[in-house]
Every structure is written in structure tokens, then in C-alpha cells.
Amino acid sequence: MNSWAAASKLPSRPSSLFANPYYEWAVATDFAYYGKRAIWLPMLIELREKAAQEFARQVFDLQKLEERAQGWAAELRVPPFFADPPMRLAKPLRFISVLATRKFLARINAGEAPFELISRFELGRGTGPFSLKANPAELEPELEYPDLPPVVITGVIDDGIAFAHDRFWSTNNTTRIEYCWDQHELSPFWPFLPYWPYWNYGRELTKRHPVNGIDRLMGNSSYVGLVDENEVYRRSIDLDYARAGHKPLASRVAHGTHVTDVACTANPLPAPGTRPIIAVQLPSVTVQDTSGATLGPQVFDGLCYIIWRAASIASAAQTGQLPVVVNVSYGTIAGPHDGSSAFETALDHLLDCCNPLDTNGVPTTPPFRVVLPAGNNHLSRCHARVSLLPGQQRELAWRVLPDDWTESYVEIWLPSGAAALTFNITAPDGQTTGAFGAGYKLVYGSSADPLAEVYYFPPAMLGARALVWFGLAPTGTPDGVLPVAPAGVWRIRIDNPGVTPVNDIEAWIQRDDSAPGYTRRGRQSYFDDPDYKRYDDGGRAIVVDSGPSYVRREDTLNAIATGSKPVVIGGFRRSDWVPAKYSASGPKVHLSGPGSPSDIAPQAMAPCEDAPSHCGVLAAGTRSGSCTAMNGTSVAAPRVARLLAERMVLGLPSDRAAVFNFAVLSDTGPTKPVPELGGGGRIPFPPDRLPR
């Protein structure tokens, strides 16, 4: 029988470096869930004082030395983008994304150079650099831009973007996708890599390359005026079945194609060159890890890539800087939910650098905006909130499902300044940890193959708030290689031994479902409280919190969308204006009317369902002429991204307040949703395709 080991102190690390529980779990499990054989891991770094430009140049200077003299720089691969950023980045970046070896991670956590330069970091799934050469790759000269000048650029970061689809064409039947970065790891011997290894991994397809460009691929795959898209994707290796990994374009529907259609459709078709698209295809290993715990580095990479290629388009077209809007239809559940996570801070900082203001608060450059979905977690039972009087205790029941092939996580965040609490965890087999406090960790199973680990980080190790982090191994495995944790109810008891009450202890279960189109891997765990009422007497889902349950529907907002800069969008049903039951909400807020959007609640809602009998909204399948329905706030957000692109063309405001105010004026429904769910209100966009 497995059992809990005695509590031990948390691993030592430099006091100046914030703790990272996902890294501690990766080390404890020998990176089994991060790509055990991977040498390189994507890493998002927040620098302490030195700017990203200085850090990158220092790395490149060291990498010019002979290998023995390179030191820690030999363990990094840094995109040249950070050493020579485009003019749009008007302020020095404090964040940088790199590929790092495990040796580098161990080095900084042991207090070795360059730990003194780093404040905190976030990890992604393992990948491999296209080139083992450390020095930056040389770029080919920019190609000419013979079309009309562009007026606005739309960026999409997603999975399964069908770049040959006719919904992304201009009036001359050529693609609007100027650049497409496929972040999937490839063999270094594949010939379709004309510009790489500039970003050190993946490959790039461009519209205008004379040999391997998207237009050339489409032209070489055309017969009697029709493009054979299957042949295009075979030529581009997206449908190369000798290549490992998931192939989203082999299915009739792909999330990225649907989202790109909603974000970029123009009717009538735009003139050539006027409405270019920059696409980023996330790697399948990151997408199938729906927890989102490894999402940050590669999404940040994608945003920087779009900034870089937007500058390339402006230079080739000989225009000034261009307005850009980027849609990122992804989300997570667990996190601090106060905008302080590494990725959220990096996103706010990047948007601040890209949208400088003069001394009068007037923008000095065309806008750069990012649109995120509110998330689909309103009814997921993944959020709990408890308050404890002195001497009081409360137990959370975490139900973990059997045959879950992925890890499960719980994060319990204590309020800032809270008195020290103690915790006690009981496994489904009755084995209990006993009471433990801050600064300790516990292991369930053997130390060589842990089935669960719990870390209790005091505020000093994270910034301002204490965190109890609980990581659990899969409860099922398809190959019998990885250890399996017991399914059932894990009970987490929280005690307040102090003399002051502790209010608003927040717990979130990390997302753990299966991505659309992917093999079923994860099974979402949830808090199981008998006081939680799911349905009313008529069998309808209850969407408003009431009663004594610690499980809460409110404050389930996408955990990467609680920052202060991105535009966040919820979803509603077009036919009767009813908010989608799954559309997540922020904490309760009190708004004073137009011009004062909440810093946390969604700014607005857009249609994500056509009607009760027509679930979802219609948009492109993976082949031209096809049409599929998808729902979720991930299809509401790109419709607002398209609205912002249209407003940018007209020179109208496009920030959070503009979206909030536009929703206030647009919502003519019978009743308005509460602001923590719908922000300023619902924007009744007409359908792009009518349901039959």
C-alpha cells in the first residue's frame, strides 16, 4: 500500500528566485510529463533588472567564444528577436523566451550564474532546436510586397490552421496568410525551412517565397482552376503520416481553422495585401496538455513572432507601423487570478511596451491588441472558496476520475497577509499526511516514483500570497509505463489555528479535459460537495451561486485573462440573448457605467451559440466549402478581434474601455447580464453563415 512520507522542508533555492511548483514536480518525476527525452525546454523568463535585449546580447557574446568558455550560455538558445527587437517595442522588455536545458534549470535553482539576473520562470513542453549551432541564424532579405498597402494585421495563435482555405483568400485567389509559424518540432533535414533556425524550433511557411511559399504550393496543386488542398498539405508535410504527432488538418474540423475564419473573414473579399494574416500553429504536445500549465512560453513566443513579422510586412510594403490585433483562444483554470502569474504579467508588460503613450496619455503608435476568451468553466466545479474563523476547519473533497492519462493539479491560494494555516490531506485509501504548515512538502508513494506531491509555499517564496500546490500523477496509462495514482476522493482539510479569521481562501483545480480533435487523454476532476446544487427541480442547470456550498461558479475566469491589458470576451446565445451556461465570470464587481470596465471581469460578450437547437456558431471546416459548428468562448473572442480590426481601420479606439463601451451601447436585450459575467453587455453580431 502506498503511503505519505513524513513532511520535509521545501527544496533550497535562491531567495531572490520565485518558486515554481511545476518545475519541482517535473524534477521529482524526472520530467516524465514534460518530454522525458527532450533536451530542450521552452522557458519564459522574467528578468530582475537587465532588459531582454541586454540579456540576449550577453548570451550571443558568450556563444561566440569557444565551447569550453561559453559557460551557462551554451545551455540556452535565444531568438535574435530579443537582441534586436523591432521599433514597435518602444520600451525595454523585461521578459524573454528561450530554449533551456535541464542543466540550466538546475543551475539557476542551485544559485549559480545567471540566477541573479532572473526573478521567475515558466516552463513549456520539451522540444528540440532545428540547429545545434548556438550563434544566431542569418535572415534572408525581405521579399517585395507588390500588392496594395496593408491597413491592419490580424494574428491568430491556435491549433490546426488550414492556410490554403479559400476563406483566407484575397480577391485574386491568393492567400492572405503572409507568415505561418508551425511550432511543431521537425527533423533538421527537412527542406521546407527557408528562414529557420531564427526562432530555434519549428518551421515557417510564407506567402511569397518563390519555391516553398503558400501561393506557390497552391499553384502547384491546382487543377482546372481548383486547389487540391490535400496535395497542398502533403507537399507542406502537414499531412505527412511518416511525421510523428497529431495532424489536425487530417480531420474535417480544426479549432484553429474555425477560429481564424471567425477572426479574419471579410465579406466581400479584401483586395490583395490589404488585410494580411499572421498565423502561429501551437505544437501538438502543448495543445494536448489542456491544463495550460505549459502554454505560456510558446504563446509568448507566438506574440513576439507576430510583432516581428508585422514589422517585416510594414518594411516590405514601405508603410509605417501597422495596427495589429491577435486572437489567442486558449485558457486555463488554476492560478492566482489576480493578474500576477508569470504569463499574465509578461502579457501586460508586452502590451504596455507595444502601446506607448506621450506625456498627455495619447498613443504614439498604431495599436497592438490581444483578445482572450473568458473561459468555459462556469459550471465546471473547479473553484472553491472558504473562510475560517479562529479554531475552525473546513474540508475540500477533490474527486479525481479513473483512467485519466494526464496529471491533475489543485492550487490553493491564501489571501495576502493571512495568518498561517495548517493542512491535512487524506488519500482515497485513507492514508493521511497529518497536519503540516508552510515551508514543507509531502510525497505520496516512493520518492523515486511519486504518485503525488504537495508543496506549501510561504508568501516570501512567491511574492505576496501563500500557495498550497497539489500535483497528482495520472490515474490511468495507455502503455503501463508511468506510475498510476489512485482515483477517488482526495480530502484536503484546512485548519485555522490562529486567533484571527482568514477570509476568501481560494482553490482552483487545473483544467484537465481533452482538446477538440485529439485522442481522449485527460478527464476533468472536480470538487464534490453535497451542498452544491447542480440542477433545479425542473432539471435545468443552476447558473447562480446560492446556499452554503464552498464550490463557486463565480470567479472562474480564464486564469491567463485576469491581467489589466488584454481584451477578455464571454459568450451568449444569439437567439434569446441568454449568457452561455459555461461562460466564465470574474469576481463580483460594481460598475459606475460606461468608461469604467472592470480590471478582471470580461469586457463584453459575443455570440457563441446560435440557438438552443443550433449549438455553436458556424464557420470553416478544414477544407474549402466545408462548414462546421463550434461553441465556447473561444469562438466568441475572435469575433471581437475582427471588430477591433475593423475599428482600427477606421481609426476608432480599440482598447478594453472601447469594447466595454461598445457593448453598453449594443446590448438591447430584455435584461442585461451581471457585469462580472458580461462586462458592458452583449454585442449582437449577425451570423456569418446562417444555420439550415
Side-chain angles (χ1 to χ4, degrees):
M1 177 183 290
N2 291 302
S3 61
W4 292 98
S8 60
K9 288 194 173 182
L10 289 169
S12 61
R13 32 166 290 287
S15 59
S16 60
L17 181 67
F18 283 6
N20 186 314
Y22 291 93
Y23 171 72
E24 303 294 348
W25 172 249
V27 171
T29 56
D30 195 22
F31 290 83
Y33 310 113
Y34 278 73
K36 190 167 185 177
R37 297 180 181 176
I39 299 173
W40 300 90
L41 293 165
M43 184 179 179
L44 175 61
I45 297 173
E46 181 176 8
L47 297 169
R48 183 166 297 281
E49 295 178 356
K50 186 171 290 191
Q53 187 174 13
E54 298 174 70
F55 183 87
R57 289 178 176 175
Q58 181 179 354
V59 171
F60 292 147
D61 288 342
L62 289 171
Q63 289 176 345
K64 292 175 183 177
L65 305 175
E66 61 180 48
E67 190 171 350
R68 289 179 299 176
Q70 291 180 12
W72 56 266
E75 300 156 7
L76 291 179
R77 296 293 179 267
V78 179
F81 168 90
F82 293 103
D84 187 20
M87 289 182 60
R88 179 177 289 277
L89 289 168
K91 302 177 184 178
L93 266 182
R94 198 175 69 248
F95 288 82
I96 187 169
S97 53
V98 302
L99 293 184
T101 64
R102 296 190 213 172
K103 184 178 179 181
F104 180 82
L105 292 165
R107 173 194 295 273
I108 62 172
N109 276 274
E112 300 176 18
F115 86 93
E116 69 279 0
L117 304 178
I118 298 173
S119 175
R120 58 177 167 171
F121 63 89
E122 188 173 312
L123 289 182
R125 294 275 166 168
T127 186
F130 166 67
S131 172
L132 297 180
K133 183 180 179 182
N135 292 327
E138 296 294 330
L139 282 178
E140 291 189 4
E142 290 175 353
L143 301 175
E144 293 183 0
Y145 198 90
D147 298 326
L148 294 173
V151 293
V152 65
I153 296 172
T154 301
V156 178
I157 301 176
D158 218 292
D159 171 52
I161 300 173
F163 52 82
H165 204 290
D166 65 5
R167 297 282 285 184
F168 315 141
W169 288 3
S170 299
T171 51
N172 63 350
N173 296 341
T174 62
T175 186
R176 294 164 53 199
I177 298 179
E178 287 285 339
Y179 296 99
C180 179
W181 178 17
D182 181 356
Q183 293 184 340
H184 190 83
E185 179 183 352
L186 294 173
S187 165
F189 305 107
W190 193 261
F192 286 85
L193 294 157
Y195 296 139
W196 247 230
Y198 186 85
W199 227 272
N200 294 307
Y201 66 102
R203 63 182 179 128
E204 182 182 47
L205 287 172
T206 69
K207 169 183 170 66
R208 303 175 191 277
H209 193 274
V211 178
N212 302 315
I214 299 173
D215 284 344
R216 178 56 62 93
L217 287 171
M218 291 167 56
N220 291 340
S221 305
S222 296
Y223 305 94
V224 294
L226 298 175
V227 177
D228 184 342
E229 292 168 56
N230 285 337
E231 183 176 335
V232 171
Y233 301 134
R234 285 196 299 271
R235 289 174 178 266
S236 68
I237 73 170
D238 288 274
L239 290 184
D240 178 8
Y241 288 94
R243 176 190 179 201
H246 179 73
K247 297 164 185 63
L249 298 187
S251 303
R252 69 181 183 88
V253 58
H255 190 267
T257 302
H258 195 281
V259 164
T260 305
D261 186 20
V262 177
C264 302
T265 286
N267 190 15
L269 293 178
T274 56
R275 299 291 292 270
I277 301 168
I278 303 175
V280 177
Q281 163 74 45
L282 293 170
S284 59
V285 291
T286 298
V287 175
Q288 69 186 11
D289 170 30
T290 58
S291 74
T294 61
L295 190 70
Q298 284 160 314
V299 171
F300 188 80
D301 269 351
L303 291 168
C304 292
Y305 170 80
I306 290 170
I307 293 170
W308 175 54
R309 280 314 193 186
S312 298
I313 292 172
S315 175
Q318 297 184 353
T319 65
Q321 291 187 42
L322 295 165
V324 180
V325 58
V326 183
N327 185 84
V328 186
S329 282
Y330 277 89
T332 64
I333 300 177
H337 282 251
D338 58 7
S340 67
S341 70
F343 176 73
E344 289 176 299
T345 307
L347 179 55
D348 279 353
H349 177 62
L350 184 67
L351 289 171
D352 186 53
C353 291
C354 289
N355 295 282
L357 305 175
D358 64 16
T359 54
N360 296 317
V362 178
T364 59
T365 62
F368 180 89
R369 308 295 183 208
V370 174
V371 183
L372 299 173
N376 306 326
N377 313 311
H378 193 65
L379 303 180
S380 64
R381 291 182 283 171
C382 289
H383 174 223
R385 177 183 295 136
V386 297
S387 297
L388 297 176
L389 297 173
Q392 190 179 18
Q393 63 179 232
R394 192 73 184 268
E395 184 177 87
L396 308 180
W398 178 28
R399 183 169 293 278
V400 180
L401 302 182
D403 199 31
D404 180 354
W405 297 359
T406 59
E407 320 93 280
S408 299
Y409 307 110
V410 170
E411 297 183 16
I412 304 174
W413 290 86
L414 276 57
S416 179
L421 304 178
T422 61
F423 288 76
N424 192 324
I425 298 175
T426 304
D429 58 7
Q431 297 291 317
T432 184
T433 62
F436 65 94
Y440 285 87
K441 78 167 189 174
L442 295 106
V443 178
Y444 180 81
S446 70
S447 57
D449 287 313
L451 301 180
E453 289 205 350
V454 181
Y455 312 117
Y456 190 168
F457 296 105
M461 297 182 74
L462 293 173
R465 298 166 64 189
L467 166 66
V468 176
W469 186 94
F470 190 168
L472 186 68
T475 60
T477 175
D479 50 21
V481 175
L482 295 174
V484 176
V489 177
W490 293 76
R491 301 189 180 278
I492 306 170
R493 196 184 76 194
I494 311 173
D495 293 87
N496 180 9
V499 295
T500 58
V502 179
N503 297 317
D504 297 333
I505 303 163
E506 307 276 5
W508 284 278
I509 297 170
Q510 191 57 280
R511 181 181 174 186
D512 187 25
D513 53 6
S514 297
Y518 282 73
T519 301
R520 200 278 296 161
R521 290 170 48 84
R523 301 189 69 195
Q524 184 65 60
S525 58
Y526 56 91
F527 289 118
D528 194 353
D529 180 11
D531 289 331
Y532 181 83
K533 303 296 184 183
R534 296 183 65 191
Y535 304 105
D536 63 18
D537 293 339
R540 293 173 290 269
I542 298 173
V543 297
V544 178
D545 287 318
S546 62
S549 176
Y550 58 76
V551 181
R552 311 302 294 172
R553 297 167 181 86
E554 66 184 23
D555 212 358
T556 49
L557 196 67
N558 180 356
I560 65 170
T562 66
S564 62
K565 299 294 183 181
V567 176
V568 183
I569 302 299
F572 74 97
R573 195 162 59 207
R574 183 183 278 116
S575 63
D576 56 8
W577 296 77
V578 173
K581 294 176 181 178
Y582 48 76
S583 185
S585 65
K588 286 190 177 297
V589 293
H590 300 283
L591 302 177
S592 58
S596 58
S598 164
D599 285 339
I600 297 179
Q603 278 69 61
M605 304 182 96
C608 62
E609 308 274 356
D610 278 326
S613 58
H614 291 114
C615 297
V617 297
L618 296 175
T622 53
R623 298 298 181 271
S624 297
S626 67
C627 186
T628 62
M630 276 192 175
N631 63 1
T633 57
S634 61
V635 301
R639 187 59 188 89
V640 173
R642 181 164 24 131
L643 169 69
L644 294 185
E646 293 162 353
R647 290 177 66 87
M648 290 174 179
V649 171
L650 299 174
L652 298 175
S654 59
D655 57 4
R656 290 163 65 112
V659 174
F660 180 90
N661 294 334
F662 187 83
V664 170
L665 299 175
S666 300
D667 193 333
T668 57
T671 59
K672 293 202 174 187
V674 293
E676 58 266 23
L677 187 66
R682 296 153 294 191
I683 306 175
F685 296 109
D688 293 308
R689 298 189 179 186
L690 294 174
R692 295 181 179 177

